[in-house]
């Protein structure tokens, strides 16, 4: 077993156990393998295991690393998990299948315009600034409903809500709050949970977890 397949299997096992503890179906939770700052040589062993869902933070970096890989593996789903500038919307629509950080109307408009032009619409998560932190992306909690409605009215299919809880605080209450916002606005998908906290996120309803370091380094 390679390091990649061993780590991937261990994460999947922990994900499945967390889902079962919460009385959920493990198949309802998708693992996005986050490959930002990782080289093509580090990514290829993960692809070789059969894993097909990957996440990157920056458009330029994703383009340079993934163009050749995507040409060879047409069934890979690439997720954009980082903050996105509106002027990168066209490139993002071409490259990504899912966008996790729609946090303002201007970005939504840029993505919708690009989707029409490219005749390809990625699914979109609305990112909520769940800890109300000035340095973080995400819309204000109070603006969640309006942004969700705007996505629903657009050409971008709504995938759900996404958050990154404040560092150094217990993430559970923030995951629970995002799940409550999703219920309030009748949204199904929840992108929440990273290497340090994906089990808690799954127990609180995550349908997508974004795991990077735990897939590449032993704890
Ligand atoms: C880097 C990153 C992750 C993965 O973080 P790890 O702690 O390495 O698992 C998840 N989500 C976002 C938005 C990130 O930028």
């Amino acid at each position: 077993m390679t390091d990649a397949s061993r780590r991937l299997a261990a994460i999947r096992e922990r994900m499945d156990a967390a889902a079962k503890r919460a009385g959920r179906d493990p198949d309802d939770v998708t693992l996005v393998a986050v490959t930002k700052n990782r080289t093509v040589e580090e990514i290829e062993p993960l692809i070789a295991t059969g894993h097909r869902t990957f996440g990157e933070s920056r458009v330029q970096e994703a383009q340079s690393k993934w163009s050749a890989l995507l040409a060879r593996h047409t069934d890979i789903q690439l997720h954009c998990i980082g903050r996105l500038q509106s002027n990168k919307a066209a490139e993002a629509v071409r490259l990504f299948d899912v966008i996790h950080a729609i946090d303002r109307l201007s970005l939504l408009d840029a993505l919708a315009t690009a989707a029409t032009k490219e005749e390809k619409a990625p699914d979109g998560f609305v990112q909520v600034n769940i800890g109300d932190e000035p340095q973080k992306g995400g819309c204000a909690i109070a603006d969640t409903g309006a942004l969700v409605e705007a996505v629903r009215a657009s050409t971008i299919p709504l995938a759900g809500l996404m958050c990154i809880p404040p560092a150094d605080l217990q993430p559970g209450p923030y995951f629970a709050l995002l799940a409550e916002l999703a219920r309030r606005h009748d949204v199904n998908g929840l992108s929440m949970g990273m290497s340090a906290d994906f089990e808690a996120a799954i127990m609180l309803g995550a349908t997508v977890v974004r795991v990077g370091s735990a897939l590449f380094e032993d704890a």
Side-chain angles (χ1 to χ4, degrees):
M1 224 190 216
T2 64
D3 284 350
S5 57
R6 180 174 53 78
R7 291 198 190 101
L8 191 60
I11 299 281
R12 192 67 241 187
E13 212 167 283
R14 288 169 57 194
M15 289 174 61
D16 292 359
K20 285 184 191 137
R21 279 200 293 280
R24 301 184 56 203
D25 183 346
D27 290 344
D28 290 343
V29 190
T30 299
L31 170 63
V32 175
V34 176
T35 52
K36 66 167 188 236
N37 303 328
R38 304 290 168 178
T39 63
V40 169
E41 289 68 32
E42 288 175 287
I43 295 169
E44 277 171 333
L46 278 175
I47 297 176
T49 68
H51 192 76
R52 287 295 178 267
T53 310
F54 293 89
E56 286 281 344
S57 287
R58 286 172 294 273
V59 176
Q60 240 65 56
E61 178 186 341
Q63 236 167 9
S64 66
K65 280 159 39 183
W66 282 94
S67 296
L69 292 172
L70 291 174
R72 261 184 284 147
H73 305 279
T74 52
D75 55 345
I76 283 177
Q77 295 272 309
L78 199 57
H79 292 230
C80 179
I81 62 169
R83 281 178 104 165
L84 193 53
Q85 293 166 275
S86 295
N87 63 11
K88 301 264 172 67
E91 284 164 284
V93 163
R94 277 195 292 274
L95 188 60
F96 293 105
D97 301 289
V98 185
I99 307 275
H100 284 246
I102 300 177
D103 61 357
R104 57 198 189 278
L105 281 174
S106 56
L107 175 59
L108 173 63
D109 287 345
L111 289 168
T113 301
T116 303
K117 190 153 161 269
E118 303 289 332
E119 296 182 5
K120 171 182 184 269
D123 293 343
F125 284 90
V126 166
Q127 183 182 359
V128 182
N129 188 349
I130 203 74
D132 196 20
E133 299 173 281
Q135 81 282 12
K136 280 243 176 90
C139 70
I141 287 170
D143 297 336
T144 306
L147 194 50
V148 162
E149 287 316 314
V151 175
R152 283 191 169 122
S154 79
T155 52
I156 303 294
L158 179 67
L161 302 183
M162 178 274 212
C163 78
I164 308 170
D168 310 324
L169 290 178
Q170 287 293 330
Y174 297 95
F175 293 149
L177 178 54
L178 194 72
E180 169 54 26
L181 289 170
R183 272 190 292 276
R184 204 178 292 168
H185 300 295
D186 208 15
V187 172
N188 290 322
L190 283 172
S191 167
M192 57 187 197
M194 321 201 299
S195 290
D197 52 24
F198 65 86
E199 287 152 307
I202 289 168
M203 292 186 72
L204 290 162
T207 60
V208 178
V209 294
R210 311 174 308 264
V211 176
S213 40
L215 281 172
F216 294 97
E217 301 150 16
D218 288 315

